[in-house]
Amino acid sequence: MRSMAQDHPPARLTPPTPETLARFAAIVGDKHAIRDPAAQTAYLREWRGLFTGKTPIVLRPGSTAEVAAILALATETRTAIVPQGGNTGLVGGQIPHEDGAEVVVSLARLDKIRAVDPEGNTLVAEAGVTLQRIQEVADAESRLFPLSLASEGTCTIGGNLSTNAGGVAVLAYGNARDMVLGLEVVLASGEVWNGLKALRKDNTGYDLKQLFIGGEGTLGLITAAVLKLWPKPAETTTAFVGLPDIEAVGAFFREARQRSGPALTAFEVMPALALSFLERHVAGARNPLSRPHNWYALMDIAGFQGDGDSATLAEAIIGDALESGLVEDAAIASSLDQQAALWRLRESLPDTQRLEGGSLKHDVSVPIALIPELIRRGNALIENAMPGTRPLSFGHFGDGNLHYNVSQPPGMDGEEFMRRWWEISGPLYNLVLELGGSISAEHGIGRLKRDQLVTVKSPVEIEMMRQIKRALDPLGILNPGKVL
């Protein structure tokens, strides 16, 4: 079996000496230099338990200047640095290696909203501000920051940008990189690049900020960002739809998108198995429809006039689909509480799978038109590789991104199932690539998919990435052993 967790950073980096650790601690103050192993636990374990690392010290800087001083000292002493936001990442990019030679730098104390400009539709936030707080600040100004994730109460904008987070609103607003106008970044040398421009047009050379968005902390540490805001919808209509098969889901999506245009802000999909998991493990969860269906779609249509236009449009689209037989049943939320209940079903799915035993996670994307083929052929491949496994494909149908997860066969030993992960993941990844897709749609590469990256990128692409890494981090001190 291929190892997912026992890789190591480059040997040329030097484990920090007691003197070096004391110098690091002096930068942030002893209160914010965590050496006690028990107090470090929250910074060292990935939330699913796939990665658990060690560190001699966790540094919690409170300013960009302190981050710069840390990286300058790291360059001087050739000390490896692992940046961390809210520790909600899913590929291990935020976790240090097990040899205990790397210093963790948590950016959680960089938690200030520096500016809000409702007229210009921008907001400047430091890296440690949680996504939920940014949403709330925007909402208070009757604006929308549309990035939305299940972990938004804990994840931070620095981590969101470093991983180019996706979420449920990509269909209408794009990924995290589409929501940024400017960045402030500390380079490996300790130099600070102040790129906090609020310009929507700037063709003066390379768009440098895009190097760091999705860079997973391997090229520089994002310390602040100028974020785009959007007009806040006056209303949103949420509908939960039952369909006979995944092909019908595709046809219904095309019809809803054609008639709604940009007002269709979310279109999520889940199979019947998802509802059975939810009903078993989530208190109060129930199927909103009168009987089970093979597939379900959850969609949001936004309205900006406040005159019920979104509900009228949703009812017309669903009514026509019911009449044609494309849709079998549907429920339209009539209150904010009902909307929240419908979305709670989708947001609870990741946790319910853990309660069903071992679960293999595949964050993949293919062209939208090929999603039915991915699911049909993928399910057959998985059943052939390990009879009795339970594929559970759900997620962001509207942008071609599925969380193609696979739960262990009932009664099978969970550890044995997880040890045999490549028997399932290998054929599935090959299928995704055959269909012109990606093995990492929104979670990134980190440690989990680092070894697979070189098999899906051309040698030219890999060498270009390595050249960028060498140019910006010549000593290899930033998040070594991640991505590349």
Side-chain angles (χ1 to χ4, degrees):
M1 185 193 78
R2 302 187 184 193
S3 170
M4 292 189 292
Q6 297 303 318
D7 50 297
H8 296 282
R12 62 193 173 109
L13 296 177
T14 306
T17 65
E19 178 188 1
T20 297
L21 293 177
R23 292 175 67 189
F24 276 124
I27 293 171
V28 299
D30 287 338
K31 179 181 178 181
H32 301 295
I34 304 173
R35 304 196 198 206
D36 175 43
Q40 291 179 349
T41 301
Y43 302 89
L44 302 181
R45 186 178 185 276
E46 186 258 357
W47 74 273
R48 292 185 298 181
L50 293 180
F51 301 97
T52 301
K54 295 181 181 178
T55 185
I57 196 167
V58 175
L59 302 175
R60 302 181 73 247
S63 67
T64 299
E66 289 184 358
V67 176
I70 289 169
L71 292 194
L73 179 56
T75 291
E76 175 192 335
T77 58
R78 297 200 170 199
T79 301
I81 297 295
V82 178
Q84 189 177 105
N87 193 14
T88 60
L90 295 172
V91 291
Q94 76 280 18
I95 302 298
H97 289 81
E98 293 77 10
D99 56 12
E102 299 168 320
V103 171
V104 173
V105 176
S106 167
L107 300 175
R109 289 183 61 226
L110 274 67
D111 60 356
K112 297 179 181 62
I113 301 289
R114 294 187 184 176
V116 183
D117 179 7
E119 183 177 350
N121 284 306
T122 62
L123 179 153
V124 182
E126 293 184 340
V129 180
T130 65
L131 177 55
Q132 180 176 318
R133 186 175 167 215
I134 291 172
Q135 294 168 345
E136 292 170 347
V137 170
D139 184 72
E141 299 289 346
S142 296
R143 296 294 184 270
L144 172 71
F145 185 67
L147 187 63
S148 182
L149 312 170
S151 60
E152 57 198 29
T154 306
C155 66
T156 61
I157 194 63
N160 297 150
L161 299 183
S162 292
T163 57
N164 186 30
V168 300
V170 172
L171 172 62
Y173 299 100
N175 289 295
R177 71 169 69 253
D178 300 304
M179 304 179 189
V180 180
L181 292 173
L183 292 180
E184 177 185 84
V185 180
V186 180
L187 305 179
S189 62
E191 297 171 285
V192 178
W193 171 50
N194 183 356
L196 292 176
K197 292 183 178 180
L199 301 176
R200 294 181 183 262
K201 288 187 173 182
D202 182 1
N203 276 338
T204 54
Y206 305 130
D207 190 356
L208 296 176
K209 66 178 180 294
Q210 297 297 349
L211 288 173
F212 304 100
I213 300 173
E216 299 187 46
T218 63
L219 302 178
L221 274 60
I222 296 172
T223 50
V226 182
L227 305 173
K228 298 179 186 177
L229 303 181
W230 276 262
K232 181 182 174 182
E235 60 188 20
T236 299
T237 296
T238 301
F240 192 83
V241 180
L243 301 111
D245 51 47
I246 192 61
E247 286 78 13
V249 173
F252 179 63
F253 168 72
R254 289 191 293 274
E255 181 67 14
R257 186 69 184 274
Q258 176 65 30
R259 294 174 64 173
S260 301
L264 183 66
T265 56
F267 193 96
E268 300 286 299
V269 67
M270 66 181 74
L273 182 63
L275 263 293
S276 67
F277 280 15
L278 289 163
E279 289 173 333
R280 266 202 297 276
H281 300 297
V282 178
R286 63 177 183 83
N287 190 334
L289 307 180
S290 59
R291 67 175 179 86
H293 300 269
N294 290 326
W295 284 90
Y296 302 92
L298 176 65
M299 70 177 190
D300 274 354
I301 295 178
F304 292 88
Q305 303 304 316
D307 56 2
D309 57 329
S310 66
T312 300
L313 180 56
E315 290 167 1
I317 293 170
I318 292 171
D320 290 346
L322 284 166
E323 185 175 343
S324 69
L326 185 61
V327 164
E328 295 178 327
D329 196 6
I332 298 178
S334 60
S335 67
L336 293 178
D337 286 344
Q338 288 184 6
Q339 285 182 334
L342 291 177
W343 274 102
R344 196 173 299 118
L345 294 174
R346 165 64 180 86
E347 292 162 355
S348 300
L349 266 180
D351 287 336
T352 63
Q353 293 168 86
R354 289 190 292 175
L355 301 174
E356 289 285 331
S359 177
L360 299 178
K361 317 290 189 183
H362 305 98
D363 165 41
V364 301
S365 63
V366 296
I368 295 173
L370 297 181
I371 288 178
E373 183 176 355
L374 170 66
I375 291 175
R376 185 177 63 254
R377 292 176 60 187
N379 289 359
L381 283 172
I382 288 169
E383 176 62 23
N384 182 64
M386 193 180 300
T389 52
R390 296 170 290 169
L392 199 163
S393 302
F394 69 95
H396 320 307
F397 189 100
D399 53 62
N401 172 202
L402 285 183
H403 300 294
Y404 194 120
N405 297 347
V406 184
S407 289
Q408 70 177 65
M412 183 179 184
D413 178 74
E415 292 185 2
E416 170 66 14
F417 176 70
M418 297 303 289
R419 281 194 295 269
R420 296 173 60 184
W421 70 280
W422 192 248
E423 295 177 33
I424 290 174
S425 298
L428 180 63
Y429 284 154
N430 288 337
L431 174 60
V432 168
L433 297 176
E434 179 189 332
L435 297 177
S438 169
I439 66 169
S440 184
E442 64 178 355
H443 293 163
I445 298 299
R447 296 171 63 180
L448 185 66
K449 298 182 180 180
R450 187 196 66 180
D451 293 342
Q452 278 69 58
L453 184 65
V454 294
T455 69
V456 301
K457 292 284 190 184
S458 72
V460 172
E461 289 175 303
I462 292 295
E463 181 54 27
M464 289 170 65
M465 293 173 68
R466 293 190 186 281
Q467 287 185 28
I468 293 170
K469 172 70 171 174
R470 287 193 291 266
L472 291 175
D473 182 19
L475 297 180
I477 65 170
L478 296 181
N479 225 3
K482 315 292 174 59
V483 183
L484 293 171

